[in-house]
Amino acid sequence: MNERIIGTFLAFFIIFIICAGLAGCPQYGVYQQRLAGEAELAKAEFSKRIAVTSAQAKLDAAKLEAQTDVVRAEGVASANKIVADSLGGPEGYLRWKYIEMLERSDAAGHDVIYVPTEAGLPILEAGKRQRKETGGQ
């Protein structure tokens, strides 16, 4: 008799475990989907943070490059003003730059053609014209 009670109890226990498992399966599926959704949300938020941080870094870099350009331009303007003042103003500075250009073009082997004008400043011709000569023309 004792074995029958143990066997019956064991059968009911196994049936209870199976029923509990079947009842818990849908709840586990919901739980699993909720965890998957939370993981997807966390991934999206992290990707968003990465994009925002990257954009902020680009903005900071652009601002610093702009500041660098402003400082460089101020330095060049200051240097040009010092040189222009030491050469007697803007006219002397332009003549000096013209002479530098002539020296560079001469060193590079380029021909410079200039024609004096009434104002005393030359007109520069940037290039030579080349004619294509055809048979009878």
Side-chain angles (χ1 to χ4, degrees):
M1 187 71 150
N2 203 10
E3 291 178 5
R4 262 187 170 181
I5 293 175
I6 292 176
T8 307
F9 176 74
L10 199 56
F12 279 126
F13 182 73
I14 290 174
I15 291 173
F16 175 77
I17 295 287
I18 291 173
C19 289
L22 291 175
C25 281
Q27 291 177 356
Y28 178 73
V30 170
Y31 172 75
Q32 188 178 16
Q33 288 178 353
R34 183 173 57 88
L35 287 181
E38 288 175 1
E40 191 69 30
L41 179 63
K43 182 179 177 182
E45 287 176 357
F46 189 70
S47 295
K48 178 183 170 186
R49 266 193 253 145
I50 289 173
V52 168
T53 304
S54 176
Q56 185 65 43
K58 287 179 183 178
L59 178 65
D60 293 344
K63 285 180 181 179
L64 289 174
E65 286 178 15
Q67 288 175 354
T68 302
D69 289 343
V70 167
V71 170
R72 186 178 298 122
E74 288 173 351
V76 169
S78 177
N80 286 344
K81 183 171 177 10
I82 291 169
V83 171
D85 289 346
S86 69
L87 293 173
E91 292 277 331
Y93 179 72
L94 291 175
R95 270 198 196 95
W96 177 62
K97 290 303 265 183
Y98 172 69
I99 292 168
E100 273 189 342
M101 185 271 312
L102 288 176
E103 289 173 351
R104 280 195 310 266
S105 63
D106 188 37
H110 296 120
D111 292 332
V112 177
I113 300 170
Y114 58 95
V115 178
T117 63
E118 290 181 21
L121 294 175
I123 299 174
L124 301 176
E125 186 174 322
K128 297 179 184 178
R129 289 188 182 171
Q130 295 180 355
R131 292 187 194 174
K132 291 183 180 179
E133 297 192 18
T134 55
Q137 296 178 346

